[in-house]
Amino acid sequence: MKAEKAPLPRILVLASGSGTNVQALIDATRERDFPGRIVAVGSNRPKAFALERAAQANIETFVVDHTQYDSREAFDAALMAEIRRYNPDVLLLAGFMRILTDDFVRAFRGILLNIHPSLLPKYTGLNTHQRALEAGDPVHGTSVHFVTEELDGGPVIAQAEVKVSLEDTPESLAEKVKAKEHILYPIVVRWFCEGRIQLGSDYILFDGELLKAPLRLTDD
Ligand code: GAR
């Protein structure tokens, strides 16, 4: 008798921009052994190239255009309703450039992950590459974290570093960071889909053990 295969965790990705991280996630989840599948990609911007990438991969897309809503609450309620139609097990922010309300964040607590272009807790918010350069940081990087009510302040699961060189500009640094993000995010999503990562009250369990510091992606 053949054992019934458990259905794969359902991943939904939200993006606002060019979607290179969405592409990395699409490519990773296409691998035969990936323990999850992307059921939809949503955006607040009708013209986001991330939607094009999803459509190319035959993944469903949806748009909740924030300019059509009078308040953040109304936008988030509409977004939440759309997301719920897909019943996701994992909700990923991949360059999703809207601040989410506390109600939204609470509704998806524990399954809502974000990738942020800095070594958190350094440089929450915007212009992270510029700020790292201005501070003369020798290393910069990216973080994957659980989203909580505090902006870019939820527990960090994993990070990857890049070296900053004297020639770097915000643009060149953004490219270097993105190259790391494309490796890091799929790895963390894999672990999450395998049930290895859990969010506690203000801590993370990795393989059932308290994660004392973010996991680090190294070059070797
Ligand atoms: C990524 O670098 C991501 O870390 C960042 O936006 C970029 C999106 O690029 N996210 C944030 O700044 C969130 N605050 P992409 O559209 O090519 O994936």
Side-chain angles (χ1 to χ4, degrees):
M1 208 170 72
K2 249 187 166 176
E4 283 277 315
K5 269 200 189 161
L8 289 175
R10 301 167 62 79
I11 303 167
L12 194 151
V13 191
L14 296 178
S16 303
S18 75
T20 63
N21 277 286
V22 170
Q23 189 65 55
L25 291 162
I26 289 172
D27 294 346
T29 52
R30 272 182 171 160
E31 283 164 22
R32 221 162 49 89
D33 71 335
F34 199 91
R37 68 187 180 98
I38 301 178
V39 291
V41 173
S43 185
N44 60 310
R45 292 190 186 278
K47 294 209 171 117
F49 192 64
L51 296 172
E52 195 73 31
R53 295 178 188 273
Q56 286 287 333
N58 286 320
I59 293 170
E60 280 190 48
T61 63
F62 65 86
V63 174
V64 183
D65 183 348
H66 66 279
T67 65
Q68 303 300 309
Y69 295 85
D70 291 339
S71 67
R72 210 175 273 288
E73 286 71 24
F75 167 72
D76 275 17
L79 182 61
M80 213 184 294
E82 199 63 33
I83 292 168
R84 287 232 156 92
R85 296 199 310 125
Y86 293 95
N87 195 24
D89 302 298
V90 191
L91 180 54
L92 303 176
L93 305 181
F96 187 67
M97 303 307 278
R98 302 291 304 168
I99 293 175
L100 296 162
T101 57
D102 288 357
D103 279 353
F104 183 101
V105 170
R106 272 188 227 115
F108 298 108
R109 191 177 196 285
I111 68 163
L112 181 56
L113 271 57
N114 181 40
I115 189 151
H116 180 80
S118 77
L119 295 173
L120 290 171
K122 276 192 163 183
Y123 314 129
T124 61
L126 298 175
N127 303 320
T128 58
H129 311 302
Q130 175 85 40
R131 287 153 70 200
L133 284 174
E134 281 169 5
D137 292 355
V139 289
H140 179 49
T142 181
S143 307
V144 177
H145 65 97
F146 278 107
V147 178
T148 60
E149 285 95 325
E150 195 188 333
L151 181 68
D152 299 328
V156 178
I157 302 165
Q159 296 180 316
E161 285 181 2
V162 300
K163 288 200 178 76
V164 182
S165 74
L166 287 173
E167 295 78 44
D168 268 322
T169 62
E171 292 72 30
S172 69
L173 207 44
E175 287 311 306
K176 281 191 196 173
V177 167
K178 278 196 192 191
K180 292 285 181 185
E181 292 186 327
H182 302 160
I183 301 168
L184 185 70
Y185 215 2
I187 290 177
V188 174
V189 175
R190 171 182 282 275
W191 289 334
F192 188 86
C193 287
E194 289 170 346
R196 299 180 67 184
I197 307 173
Q198 271 140 8
L199 176 65
S201 56
D202 60 353
Y203 59 88
I204 292 168
L205 291 179
F206 187 75
D207 287 344
E209 309 248 336
L210 187 68
L211 189 65
K212 295 202 181 97
L215 297 157
R216 282 284 166 135
L217 184 74
T218 53
D219 283 330
D220 35 62

